[in-house]
Amino acid sequence: MKRLAAILLAGILILSAAVPAFAAVETNAAFWARSSMEYAHEHGFVTDEELKKATSPMSRLEFCGVVMGFLESVTGVERKATIATPFKDCDDPIVIAAYEAGVIGGAEPGIFAPDKTLTREQMAIMIARTLMVCNLDLTEEEKKNTFTDTKNLYAASNRYIDQLYGAEIVSGYNDGTYGPFREMSVQEAIVTFVRAHRYIMTGMAYDPNAVEETVTPEAAPVEKKDTETIKVADKPVSLRWSEAELKAVWGEPDRIDLSVYDKMDRYIYINDYVDYFFVTFKDGHIVEIFVPGTDYAYLSMDGKGTMADIENLSYVNMAEHSGIVRNDGSEARVILDYEGQLCGILLQTKEFLAVRDPRSTLHHETKLALEGQLLDLIQTIRVNKNADLLVWDKKLFDVARAHSEDMVHEKYFDYNSLDGTTPFGRIMERNKTFYTASEIIARQRGDIVNVYQEWMRTPARVSALTDRTMQEVGVGIDSRSKVLYVTVDLCGQAPQVTKK
């Protein structure tokens, strides 16, 4: 009954509406989207400007404009904002009106991210809410989607997708995926919104005479982006660069270290731990780039945000807590912290991924190199959390190295030694004085990046590593069968009391 009421209301309003002439306006829409763009323009929820940039990314702000045009087209009521903006980064009246209508929310509390490109998950949520504002209840249409990549979405997101899927307003791709984190072009978003509009008008999402019903958005020409370059502090670093190309942009590295991989050096740029990164060379060319933190840009991502902001996301690796972006010649792992926020990126060539083979055991020099790199990562984490840098301490290093080696040799993994000695006991045995102390251990197969991922996906470890009462640190590492055992010991000294 609600759907019938909405259809009757829309029909009455559309009969009385003036229809603008589409032919007078140019559009760069692909052939499969052209009829939908024409339909949307005729019904007043696509602007002349949007027609001209149909193949461009659709921003969240632009989509709000489409939403409000859609609502005015269907209900005959122009909605205007009557409240103050709830967002720190956007005071556009269209966004506020959409928020007030209950259609949109923030990308995170207090943040709307108006310039971020719309994702397919966000689009489904907004369209479903828009239909609810139109008094259209899709509950009866709800049908469990069969997509292979939606099971890890929030239940609310899946509910909206299920409703639109049952009403045939959204569909997936030929490989069985929905692509919830895939970014939308203007024409892709409009094609879906037009299906919603037609559903209100006729009870059917598809126009059987429209070209787009038999051609998927994948047929559209896609702008080729540089998938092998990361920008750090607005300067590029790219896979396959030679040493000379790297130094031409970044100068001499702060260190050249050994890595966990045989005959592969690691060039490290500290940059005050604000723009820290390293690259790994194989046969004279960069095969791996790692940037911890958020001060980087890749594709259209700026390193900040959440999983929903990962461009061209292929899937989410729940074990690693990272989003995987697969490209023709490379693969990016976008690292997520325990809150789902972006906190680093690892970019590798596919050739390197196919043959990478960490050392089974580590020589003393390699251990020292990896311990230095892990210390770098701890300092970077602290800088990102506005905590003071730590001072390396020889006694704490000896404690940490000895415990990692003991765990490897005695085949256990625990804070307490097999004889029952606690971390505090081990520190005191080295005659190290302290006011406060803590220890973090990790066991990860692979490289130090895997250790960083383990740290960042656990709030207790991040809290311990960024504890502002700590001033000194020691990092110790050992390995067995390609598995790294890592111990980090931290100490804080008694605060100095100023005499009056």
Side-chain angles (χ1 to χ4, degrees):
M1 183 59 69
K2 286 186 177 181
R3 183 176 71 183
L4 178 60
I7 293 170
L8 289 175
L9 171 63
I12 292 170
L13 291 167
I14 292 302
L15 286 174
S16 63
V19 178
F22 176 77
V25 182
E26 294 182 359
T27 181
N28 67 343
F31 74 95
W32 53 266
R34 190 175 180 88
S35 62
S36 282
M37 296 295 290
E38 178 179 3
Y39 180 101
H41 187 262
E42 287 176 349
H43 290 87
F45 53 92
V46 169
T47 65
D48 293 355
E49 184 63 28
E50 286 161 345
L51 287 173
K52 295 175 184 177
K53 58 176 187 177
T55 59
S56 300
M58 169 70 89
S59 72
R60 287 166 54 84
L61 173 60
E62 290 168 335
F63 198 67
C64 280
V66 176
V67 166
M68 300 315 291
F70 180 98
L71 287 174
E72 184 175 356
S73 171
V74 171
T75 66
V77 177
E78 182 183 3
R79 294 173 179 264
K80 294 186 177 180
T82 62
I83 62 173
T85 179
F87 304 115
K88 301 175 184 177
D89 61 341
C90 184
D91 59 1
D92 191 291
I94 290 178
V95 173
I96 303 170
Y99 174 83
E100 195 173 355
V103 173
I104 62 102
E108 55 185 280
I111 301 296
F112 179 65
D115 299 324
K116 289 284 189 181
T117 304
L118 184 77
T119 68
R120 283 171 59 83
E121 178 189 23
Q122 295 166 354
M123 177 197 68
I125 293 170
M126 290 186 192
I127 288 179
R129 288 175 177 171
T130 301
L131 296 179
M132 291 170 63
V133 175
C134 295
N135 201 32
L136 184 60
D137 188 352
L138 289 179
T139 304
E140 295 178 2
E141 300 283 4
E142 189 170 322
K143 178 181 177 182
K144 183 60 182 175
N145 74 76
T146 59
F147 306 128
T148 60
D149 57 350
T150 56
K151 63 181 179 180
N152 291 324
L153 298 179
Y154 290 117
S157 296
N158 260 316
R159 185 174 67 252
Y160 289 132
I161 293 172
D162 289 346
Q163 291 176 358
L164 298 178
Y165 175 74
E168 298 186 325
I169 293 171
V170 299
S171 57
Y173 296 106
N174 294 332
D175 61 0
T177 65
Y178 175 69
F181 309 116
R182 177 170 173 164
E183 294 184 334
M184 305 289 289
S185 65
V186 170
Q187 60 189 3
E188 288 176 299
I190 295 303
V191 164
T192 309
F193 228 131
V194 164
R195 291 175 186 168
H197 198 270
R198 286 187 180 129
Y199 185 84
I200 289 180
M201 300 303 173
T202 67
M204 295 176 59
Y206 286 88
D207 177 356
N209 298 315
V211 176
E212 68 265 19
E213 313 313 342
T214 57
V215 181
T216 71
E218 291 177 305
V222 178
E223 178 187 355
K224 187 172 179 59
K225 296 184 178 180
D226 186 351
T227 59
E228 300 196 348
T229 297
I230 299 175
K231 283 192 174 180
V232 184
D234 292 326
K235 292 198 298 184
V237 55
S238 295
L239 295 176
R240 306 179 204 280
W241 271 5
S242 66
E243 180 182 356
E245 288 173 309
L246 175 67
K247 291 181 178 180
V249 175
W250 286 96
E252 293 291 333
D254 292 287
R255 295 200 314 270
I256 300 178
D257 281 358
L258 298 171
S259 74
V260 75
Y261 305 108
D262 191 35
K263 299 179 181 178
M264 296 188 201
D265 287 336
R266 189 159 274 171
Y267 284 46
I268 295 169
Y269 290 83
I270 295 177
N271 298 319
D272 296 325
Y273 299 109
V274 176
D275 300 308
Y276 178 94
F277 73 93
F278 66 65
V279 300
T280 305
F281 275 89
K282 182 178 185 294
D283 299 329
H285 292 88
I286 295 175
V287 295
E288 177 182 67
I289 306 168
F290 176 58
V291 186
T294 61
D295 196 13
Y296 70 87
Y298 179 66
L299 301 178
S300 297
M301 297 185 297
D302 63 2
K304 299 176 177 64
T306 66
M307 181 171 62
D309 299 304
I310 301 176
E311 185 177 359
N312 296 343
L313 181 66
S314 300
Y315 66 96
V316 177
N317 187 318
M318 299 305 291
E320 291 186 354
H321 213 59
S322 59
I324 310 301
V325 180
R326 285 181 168 168
N327 308 303
D328 290 340
S330 64
E331 183 170 298
R333 276 171 159 71
V334 184
I335 301 170
L336 305 168
D337 69 9
Y338 58 91
E339 293 182 320
Q341 300 289 319
L342 308 187
C343 63
I345 186 169
L346 175 69
L347 183 62
Q348 300 166 310
T349 67
K350 284 198 170 178
E351 297 92 336
F352 171 64
L353 281 168
V355 301
R356 60 179 178 170
D357 186 26
R359 292 185 176 101
S360 295
T361 56
L362 302 178
H363 299 300
H364 177 67
E365 293 78 8
T366 306
K367 290 182 186 180
L368 288 174
L370 297 179
E371 287 160 347
Q373 292 160 31
L374 285 170
L375 177 57
D376 289 342
L377 297 182
I378 294 170
Q379 304 285 40
T380 300
I381 294 170
R382 290 182 68 89
V383 167
N384 285 333
K385 298 292 185 179
N386 298 313
D388 292 337
L389 295 177
L390 298 169
V391 176
W392 181 85
D393 182 84
K394 176 64 165 59
K395 290 181 179 179
L396 291 177
F397 162 71
D398 290 339
V399 173
R401 170 72 78 84
H403 187 56
S404 291
E405 292 179 341
D406 189 53
M407 288 191 290
V408 167
H409 296 154
E410 300 299 329
K411 298 181 180 179
Y412 73 97
F413 181 68
D414 200 336
Y415 285 97
N416 291 343
S417 304
L418 292 182
D419 62 4
T421 306
T422 66
F424 307 105
R426 290 193 295 270
I427 294 173
M428 289 188 289
E429 285 176 356
R430 297 278 178 169
N431 296 317
K432 174 65 181 176
T433 58
F434 59 89
Y435 184 73
T436 59
S438 67
E439 183 174 271
I440 305 103
I441 59 175
R443 178 176 57 185
Q444 279 292 322
R445 183 178 179 84
D447 195 8
I448 62 165
V449 177
N450 303 102
V451 176
Y452 176 79
Q453 288 176 297
E454 178 181 328
W455 286 344
M456 296 307 294
R457 64 175 176 258
T458 312
R461 290 188 175 96
V462 174
S463 178
L465 291 170
T466 58
D467 187 339
R468 286 170 171 76
T469 68
M470 304 297 176
Q471 298 101 32
E472 301 166 301
V473 65
V475 182
I477 194 169
D478 200 9
S479 73
R480 181 179 69 239
S481 301
K482 307 181 190 298
V483 176
L484 300 178
Y485 286 72
V486 178
T487 303
V488 180
D489 285 303
L490 303 106
C491 278
Q493 301 304 325
Q496 294 183 352
V497 179
T498 303
K499 294 182 179 180
K500 294 183 179 180

